[in-house]
Amino acid sequence: MCRWTKAMMRGRGGCYKHTFYGITSSQCMEMTPSLACANKCVFCWRHHKNPVGKEWRWIVDQPEMLVEEAIKNHLGMIKQFRGVPGVTKETFDEALTIRHCALSLVGEPIIYPYINQFIQMLHEKNISSFMVTNAQFPDKIDSLDPVTQLYVSIDAGTKESLRKVDRPIFTDFWERFLGSIESLRKKGQRTVFRLTLIKEWNIEEISNYAELVERGQPTLIEIKGVTYCGTSKASTLTMKNVPYHQEVLRFSQMLCDANEFTKANYEIACEHEHSCCVLLANKRFKVDGQWNTWIDYPKFHQLVKEGKEFTAEDYMAPTPSWAIVGSEEKGFDPEQTRHRRTKPYAGQGC
């Protein structure tokens, strides 16, 4: 279970999606319908213990079973938090109602053969869908039904850097990458470029990233410092490759200023300092000086049920002042209590 789900149940803060988009972290379920991926990224937090593949070649579980088992197992973990210090009856009861699903746990969820049926079942239960795809299956993006928010991982700005960072198994990985970006541009709902910054690997390619932004014209751009996941035979990354939050902010502003298109269309909207994460938003989400990066979830579900075409602007909602970049809170919800560890982690040096 996500650490932020546990943290918000204890009143200790929400994740960056709470800050940027207004999800309730304690009501968010992480899962994936596919363990397999077409990349072997150097920063993968699973250390490549999951399978790789160019297509689906496994027994297919039915979407009904996946949704039911995911909910059952998630709630089983939630129930173990009854009585944990900080968990109140109110926060515990709230967490028993799942309202969001992050399809980004591991693997490439978009290659699951019944992904549209799976998404539909989530929406029928009023569970929002945040799907991350690794930009190797443009045809699957084309055939994907509307999700609440669709991400494409933009892990490098050039072909050679992408080869080094993502270590893709497709020989035509760059063409697939560009095709995925172009497919994303056609989507009518909220779309996101997800940049993971790794010092000495992909942080110097500002102009190249800007060209990709102009090609895909995403609604939003998330820029996050890489998370170091420990030593592994699968990666040579160390803490030296992790940028500070101020470096991520500086990169974000440079991307906004990189070319005429990004200058005209994007600004830094939000930050979540705790996650070393910054959000750039299209200026059309700034209405009368007010950012609207949050999501009106009931409105989204209503639009899906109506079955008509709709746009990202149709379900946007105002962003609170504490989430805006430069605020005193740095993206930490003031209704939560910041917990600072005073004891070292097990095995941590002095």
Side-chain angles (χ1 to χ4, degrees):
M1 185 164 64
C2 175
R3 60 157 292 196
W4 289 110
T5 300
K6 295 181 282 187
M8 201 164 201
M9 286 180 70
R10 302 179 72 183
R12 294 183 173 185
C15 67
Y16 78 89
K17 288 198 288 293
H18 172 62
T19 298
F20 295 174
Y21 314 123
I23 80 161
T24 304
S25 302
S26 56
Q27 294 181 295
C28 184
M29 172 179 70
E30 276 189 311
M31 75 87 60
T32 181
S34 169
L35 294 174
C37 185
N39 292 337
K40 296 179 286 184
C41 302
V42 295
F43 57 85
C44 181
W45 66 309
R46 289 299 186 184
H47 299 308
H48 309 150
K49 294 179 180 178
N50 56 302
V52 292
K54 296 180 179 180
E55 60 184 3
W56 187 275
R57 51 187 175 85
W58 299 273
I59 295 172
V60 184
D61 292 320
Q62 293 301 305
E64 295 87 352
M65 187 274 282
L66 288 179
V67 172
E68 290 172 7
E69 288 297 309
I71 291 173
K72 183 179 77 173
N73 282 281
H74 179 80
L75 294 181
M77 291 186 285
I78 292 292
K79 290 173 183 176
Q80 294 177 39
F81 266 69
R82 187 194 299 271
V84 168
V87 177
T88 65
K89 183 181 185 304
E90 180 182 5
T91 59
F92 180 82
D93 290 344
E94 182 179 61
L96 290 173
T97 301
I98 300 169
R99 283 287 171 254
H100 316 285
C101 182
L103 292 161
S104 58
L105 184 64
V106 68
E108 175 57 88
I110 206 167
I111 66 172
Y112 172 59
Y114 301 125
I115 190 61
N116 281 331
Q117 294 94 316
F118 180 88
I119 294 294
Q120 181 183 353
M121 289 176 189
L122 291 178
H123 294 167
E124 287 173 352
K125 296 178 181 295
N126 291 323
I127 298 174
S128 67
S129 52
F130 287 72
M131 176 181 282
V132 180
T133 176
N134 293 318
Q136 290 296 291
F137 297 93
D139 57 322
K140 302 295 185 184
I141 296 176
D142 288 335
S143 61
L144 185 68
D145 288 343
V147 296
T148 311
Q149 192 154 284
L150 178 61
Y151 293 73
V152 164
S153 297
I154 307 295
D155 298 331
T158 68
K159 182 176 181 179
E160 286 310 307
S161 290
L162 192 68
R163 188 196 308 274
K164 293 176 183 177
V165 173
D166 279 5
R167 299 188 291 201
I169 63 175
F170 279 111
T171 55
D172 60 341
F173 67 91
W174 184 248
E175 290 74 20
R176 288 174 169 273
F177 179 72
L178 296 180
S180 296
I181 290 171
E182 289 163 1
S183 293
L184 191 79
R185 181 175 175 173
K186 302 171 190 174
K187 295 306 210 184
Q189 291 72 50
R190 294 167 68 109
T191 57
V192 185
F193 271 18
R194 169 76 170 191
L195 277 64
T196 299
L197 300 186
I198 313 170
K199 291 173 73 170
E200 301 178 5
W201 287 73
N202 65 359
I203 205 167
E204 304 295 335
E205 304 169 349
I206 299 288
S207 61
N208 304 99
Y209 283 117
E211 290 173 6
L212 296 175
V213 169
E214 187 168 2
R215 182 187 288 259
Q217 300 185 17
T219 308
L220 305 155
I221 305 170
E222 285 180 13
I223 304 176
K224 188 181 186 302
V226 67
T227 298
Y228 176 61
C229 297
T231 55
S232 164
K233 293 180 181 179
S235 174
T236 60
L237 297 186
T238 70
M239 282 300 296
K240 293 190 300 182
N241 301 115
V242 180
Y244 287 97
H245 183 64
Q246 287 302 317
E247 292 177 295
V248 176
L249 273 171
R250 186 160 55 247
F251 177 97
S252 300
Q253 189 57 58
M254 290 171 65
L255 181 57
C256 286
D257 297 336
N259 64 26
E260 292 305 314
F261 179 81
T262 54
K263 285 180 184 177
N265 289 281
Y266 295 93
E267 289 182 12
I268 300 177
C270 305
E271 64 178 322
H272 190 246
E273 185 182 45
H274 198 109
S275 297
C276 198
C277 193
V278 175
L279 180 70
L280 277 57
N282 191 290
K283 292 181 182 179
R284 69 177 188 268
F285 277 68
K286 196 173 190 180
V287 181
D288 298 327
Q290 165 73 55
W291 280 114
N292 290 265
T293 66
W294 276 34
I295 295 172
D296 184 335
Y297 294 99
K299 182 66 178 296
F300 170 78
H301 292 302
Q302 176 190 334
L303 291 167
V304 169
K305 289 173 183 176
E306 289 175 355
K308 302 175 184 177
E309 288 190 6
F310 60 95
T311 68
E313 289 94 321
D314 290 331
Y315 58 104
M316 66 183 186
T319 311
S321 60
W322 56 263
I324 302 299
V325 66
S327 69
E328 181 181 352
E329 296 86 354
K330 301 293 184 183
F332 189 89
D333 187 340
E335 293 187 5
Q336 301 283 304
T337 301
R338 185 85 177 255
H339 176 74
R340 300 183 185 276
R341 180 179 290 272
T342 56
K343 296 181 180 180
Y345 290 97
Q348 180 178 334
C350 295

